[in-house]
Amino acid sequence: MYNARMSESPSSTDRERLTIRQPDDWHVHLRDGALLQAVVAHTARPFARAIVMPNLKPPITTVAQAQAYRARILTALEASAGAAAAAAFTPLMTAYLTETTAPEELERGFEDGVFTAAKLYPAGATTNSDAGVRDLAHITPVISCMERIGMPLLIHGEVTDPAVDIFDREAVFIERQLQPLLQRHPGLKVVLEHITTRDAVQFVEAAPANVGATITPHHLHINRNALFQGGLRPDFYCLPVAKREQHRLALRGAAISGNPKFFLGTDSAPHPRNAKESSCGCAGIYNAPYAIESYAEVFSQENALERLEDFASCFGPRFYGLPLNEGTITLERREAAPEEAGLPALLELANGTDQPSRLVPFHAGEQLSWRLT
Ligand code: DOR
Ligand code: ZN
């Protein structure tokens, strides 16, 4: 089923340029309205397809909502980047699981090609997760249906038990929730999203082939110290929160390992600056503007650039059972002059809005040594 070009990959590298098969983003928040219009072109620039998270207000729970949201995404992309950009980009929609989700609705959406996957948010775990699932036992018919039809379950893997330390919530989720879930449903296709711990890496490595994981650029670059570097740094706050250095190193090892269970998912999650810089700031790192460059930096630092294409462009589609992209992208190495200004620190919301605000992208003010041509 997989494209024959996998074995004769277009990847080629020399010191200055790296050409790889066009990548996809297997986890992104594109938002809605003015924010959608401001951010969508950043994702569509390097990525051919993106798994679009459904945690809008209200969440995307029905086939009709997903179809309407997909249309809004393409309209916003056309308005901000033109018709050719919109024609070249495929949003892959997801269903937000609630305790009242009907298996029939999921199955219909999956069979009709509207839903690519369904997302499990433990209720209260993160942004707009209130309508999520309180107890996995309450959605057994839904999970059984997904297992039967081969529909991937995308998991925000954190327990919400306030007695559990926030830095342990992923590891405890794996032990208390995910392991038992996979024992009950061994055929279920699961993506443990945005993994942040060595525990998650080891769990996914040991699991059967129907379990995979996405890794974000920010969890490859920062550890939890970044949140407190010289003061409180809301731009580095996301969920699951960054962990200790040993966990970051385990994630880097997984990303460059060539293990097809680990693939690219940015979890780009924009929040306007005023919502981040607040007494109760929102979780989410907006990495879409430089996401592929950010991953390239990591693979370059690890002397593993020849593995970037598999991670970014091959392992995701293979896990989802989708064809590989035919096009390519080229990254160029650039040596920054010391006096050169870093990447732009702020992006204005493109569209007029009654709450004008700005977005601060990940790597703002820094230099990256790879640039998309
Ligand atoms: O940091 C995060 N931001 N983590 C999530 O799980 C949700 C996301 C968002 O939607 O802002
Ligand atoms: Zn997310």
Side-chain angles (χ1 to χ4, degrees), residues 35-373:
L35 196 45
L36 167 63
Q37 183 146 334
V39 303
V40 63
H42 292 289
T43 292
R45 187 179 63 116
F47 299 115
R49 295 169 290 197
I51 286 274
V52 181
M53 288 298 122
N55 62 333
L56 303 183
K57 260 186 168 168
I60 303 296
T61 56
T62 67
V63 177
Q65 284 173 319
Q67 283 170 315
Y69 184 31
R70 181 166 63 187
R72 293 199 298 281
I73 292 167
L74 292 173
T75 301
L77 183 55
E78 181 165 353
S80 59
F89 180 69
T90 305
L92 301 172
M93 310 311 290
T94 58
Y96 182 117
L97 295 182
T98 72
E99 295 200 346
T100 58
T101 298
E104 298 74 27
E105 183 76 2
L106 280 192
E107 183 164 5
R108 184 168 72 87
F110 186 63
E111 299 304 340
D112 289 352
V114 179
F115 290 141
T116 299
K119 178 71 188 268
L120 170 67
Y121 288 107
T126 187
T127 310
N128 295 345
S129 63
D130 299 351
V133 175
R134 252 154 257 286
D135 185 345
L136 275 175
H138 297 164
I139 61 163
T140 297
V142 161
I143 303 284
S144 297
C145 168
M146 294 178 67
E147 183 180 19
R148 177 173 54 78
I149 65 179
M151 183 177 190
L153 177 67
L154 315 183
I155 299 185
H156 183 108
E158 289 191 286
V159 291
T160 55
D161 181 349
V164 176
D165 189 278
I166 188 166
F167 294 101
D168 296 332
R169 287 182 185 176
E170 182 174 277
V172 172
F173 180 89
I174 290 169
E175 191 190 315
R176 285 192 198 164
Q177 308 277 335
L178 185 53
Q179 269 174 340
L181 177 72
L182 286 165
Q183 266 155 22
R184 294 195 299 274
H185 303 276
L188 185 65
K189 237 182 189 184
V190 165
V191 183
L192 187 54
E193 300 285 351
H194 41 55
I195 57 171
T196 61
T197 57
R198 187 169 60 189
D199 312 63
V201 168
Q202 290 172 346
F203 176 79
V204 171
E205 279 171 352
N210 52 311
V211 178
T214 52
I215 306 180
T216 76
H218 42 281
H219 290 111
L220 296 171
H221 279 278
I222 64 168
N223 63 31
R224 65 191 196 175
N225 287 348
L227 285 154
F228 309 106
Q229 198 78 56
L232 196 56
R233 302 284 191 152
D235 292 332
F236 296 129
Y237 174 55
C238 65
L239 288 170
V241 70
K243 308 296 194 298
R244 287 176 183 275
E245 179 65 359
Q246 67 189 38
H247 297 292
R248 186 184 76 98
L249 296 178
L251 297 172
R252 286 171 82 105
I256 65 162
S257 66
N259 183 334
K261 288 174 165 172
F262 299 104
F263 46 89
L264 185 158
T266 65
D267 198 18
S268 182
H271 291 279
R273 189 180 189 182
N274 56 308
K276 297 278 300 169
E277 297 176 3
S278 137
S279 62
C280 187
C282 295
I285 293 181
Y286 178 45
N287 60 36
Y290 316 115
I292 193 67
E293 295 88 339
S294 181
Y295 284 111
E297 193 86 4
V298 170
F299 279 70
S300 176
Q301 288 165 351
E302 300 284 345
N303 288 317
L305 274 175
E306 74 284 358
R307 301 253 173 91
L308 178 64
E309 179 179 58
D310 277 342
F311 175 79
S313 316
C314 302
F315 293 162
R318 194 193 283 181
F319 186 90
Y320 275 86
L322 294 170
L324 304 189
N325 297 317
E326 289 296 327
T328 60
I329 61 164
T330 296
L331 292 151
E332 214 170 54
R333 193 196 291 275
R334 53 190 296 284
E335 300 305 336
E339 70 282 4
E340 198 178 314
L343 296 165
L346 295 168
L347 300 172
E348 300 282 345
L349 282 188
N351 212 12
T353 148
D354 48 356
Q355 284 180 307
S357 190
R358 293 161 150 192
L359 301 169
V360 181
F362 188 51
H363 294 302
E366 296 173 23
Q367 317 264 7
L368 290 174
S369 49
W370 291 88
R371 175 172 52 196
L372 188 65
T373 60

Side-chain angles (χ1 to χ4, degrees), residues 26-38:
W26 298 96
H27 183 130
V28 69
H29 299 266
L30 293 180
R31 310 305 194 202
D32 213 345
L35 196 45
L36 167 63
Q37 183 146 334

